[in-house]
Amino acid sequence: MTSALTAPGGAWAGSLPAATPAVQPLPGGLDELLTRQVPALVATRRHIHAHPELSGAEFETTALVHRRLTELGLRPRLLPKRNGVICDIGAGDGPLVAFRADLDALPLADDKDVDYRSTVPGVCHACGHDAHTTILLGLAPLLARLAEQGGLPGRVRLIFQPAEEVVPSGAPEVIEAGGLDGVSSIFAVHCAPQLPVGSVGVRTGPLTAASATLEVRLGGPGGHTARPHLTTDLVDLLGRVAVDLPAQLARRMDPRWPVSVVWGAIHAGVASNAIPSEGYLRGTVRSLHREAWQDAGEIIAKLVPDLVSGTGAEVEVAYLRGFPPVVNDKYATDVISAAAARALGHENVFEAEISMGGEDFSYYLEQVPGSMIRLGVAPPGATAQCDTHQPGFDIDERSIEYGVRVLAHTALAALDAPPPGSGATGGGR
């Protein structure tokens, strides 16, 4: 594994990774099949991008996925709310390997000047879920072909999950619907604009942080700014909480479990000469450690009243846990790393940086071994980086073919070498 090379400012600059003798073909003529379907996959991704759906409302995207899988002769089943799909490929008693894609878009405007720009005002696929979905749709015919040829040493489950971007999210719904029943390992890719197209980032252990949302509301008698002594000066108090809470929380937490508190909104009042009677702070709490994620809410609920004690302010604290951290299993990461090297060449497999973002793929990893990797989507020569969750986010669409190729190699490797202690045995090819 090599380290990612970056240009000044963190943006990658270079050319498309060239094929090397280390790149291995897929069996059964699958490379030719994949090459033929690439234009259709790009068209599918653009259609999904142009017709995004918010979390929990992914009905048309689900219908498209269900239709495409059915056309392959597969038997996909809808989730209970009919906004997600689970589809098994292959048969027999061999191991069962799962792959997950997320379907939902974000409540953001699409600022790109492209033909496939979002047609839904205020909704945009700004996190790459359209690409994730398309990659699994591209994987399905390859595995179906291999199963028909008798070359699939086990079964593969494709999970098209709703509501990754919200809390509560869709992963627990999938698990409740039996999405992990019998699964020996699970894998996923996530678009990474920090990496060049044709490369991936892999990491054992923590990949993303546990997350929570925090809201602090203060109330009290307002009044004229000429007489603050007759009021509870909430603007001053909110400013103190905004500055002091992160620092004081760090003193109350186990130093082995650092926590990040970042405010995203602060509001109180509208007039320059009137002290308001209510105001609020909203932000996020993040940690790479599950213990900190579990303990921080209780500590914050006690800490905020202490910070405003004696002022007469009324206090309300709401701490809503989001997702646990994504912690990649070593076995699974070794499998997908080796598969990516076969698909793209060893020189294009980088060590991924830890992200403080949240990802509900973590719920699956608490049940079975698995690994999420970063899929490079930055175009060659890129000098400016448009991150995910930004209105201008887009991908180099060649990443779709690379993603399919990596997951196809991963499926075969994971079926041949199931996790130790899983009770499954590989079929041997």
Side-chain angles (χ1 to χ4, degrees), residues 26-308:
L26 290 164
L30 298 188
D31 288 301
E32 181 183 354
L33 176 59
L34 174 56
T35 299
R36 289 202 311 268
Q37 72 170 352
V38 165
L41 291 176
V42 171
T44 295
R45 181 259 166 174
R46 293 185 178 190
H47 175 84
I48 296 173
H49 194 91
H51 301 87
E53 295 176 297
L54 290 174
S55 305
E58 307 92 336
F59 300 108
E60 292 301 320
T61 309
T62 292
L64 182 151
V65 169
H66 190 275
R67 184 169 62 253
R68 297 289 173 84
L69 296 173
T70 302
E71 290 169 354
L72 293 172
L74 300 172
R75 301 179 65 180
R77 63 182 177 97
L78 296 172
L79 292 179
K81 295 181 182 178
R82 306 184 70 83
N83 62 341
V85 178
I86 297 174
C87 184
D88 287 359
I89 303 174
D93 298 327
L96 174 59
V97 174
F99 294 91
R100 178 274 228 165
D102 29 21
L103 300 171
D104 53 332
L106 287 160
L108 292 174
D110 191 346
D111 289 349
K112 300 185 298 298
D113 183 16
V114 293
D115 293 341
Y116 50 89
R117 181 179 177 178
S118 173
T119 60
V120 183
V123 183
C124 176
H125 270 293
C127 200
H129 295 188
D130 52 337
H132 305 165
T133 297
T134 303
I135 288 168
L136 281 205
L137 285 175
L139 179 64
L142 304 190
L143 298 179
R145 166 78 67 85
L146 208 56
E148 291 173 0
Q149 297 172 344
L152 194 64
R155 295 174 294 147
V156 174
R157 176 168 296 163
L158 306 183
I159 298 172
F160 296 85
Q161 177 208 302
E164 190 278 328
E165 295 287 1
V166 295
V167 177
S169 70
E173 294 181 25
V174 172
I175 296 171
E176 179 68 23
L180 291 183
D181 290 356
V183 169
S184 58
S185 57
I186 187 168
F187 301 89
V189 300
H190 196 294
C191 289
Q194 302 84 6
L195 291 174
V197 65
S199 71
V200 297
V202 301
R203 188 179 193 90
T204 297
L207 180 71
T208 70
S211 64
T213 57
L214 172 63
E215 181 175 278
V216 176
R217 285 191 170 271
L218 300 181
H224 203 294
T225 54
R227 291 174 288 279
H229 59 291
L230 301 180
T231 74
T232 298
D233 192 347
L234 296 187
V235 175
D236 176 72
L237 288 178
L238 287 168
R240 280 196 260 163
V241 172
V243 173
D244 292 347
L245 178 60
Q248 290 300 316
L249 180 62
R251 301 296 188 274
R252 303 280 184 98
M253 299 293 296
D254 189 317
R256 296 172 298 170
W257 304 335
V259 174
S260 170
V261 179
V262 178
W263 304 109
I266 180 170
H267 178 78
V270 292
S272 61
N273 61 348
I275 294 173
S277 59
E278 59 181 5
Y280 64 79
L281 284 162
R282 291 177 182 151
T284 59
V285 181
R286 302 177 187 272
S287 178
L288 297 175
H289 301 271
R290 204 181 201 287
E291 294 85 352
W293 177 66
Q294 292 174 321
D295 295 346
E298 183 177 347
I299 295 174
I300 290 172
K302 296 176 181 177
L303 184 56
V304 174
D306 289 346
L307 291 175
V308 300

Side-chain angles (χ1 to χ4, degrees), residues 5 25 40 55 64 81 154 188 201-202 274 300 310 316 318 323 331 379 383 395 402 408:
L5 301 177
S55 305
L64 182 151
K81 295 181 182 178
V202 301
I300 290 172
E316 294 182 14
F323 313 138
Y331 151 80
T383 57
I395 67 168
Y402 289 123

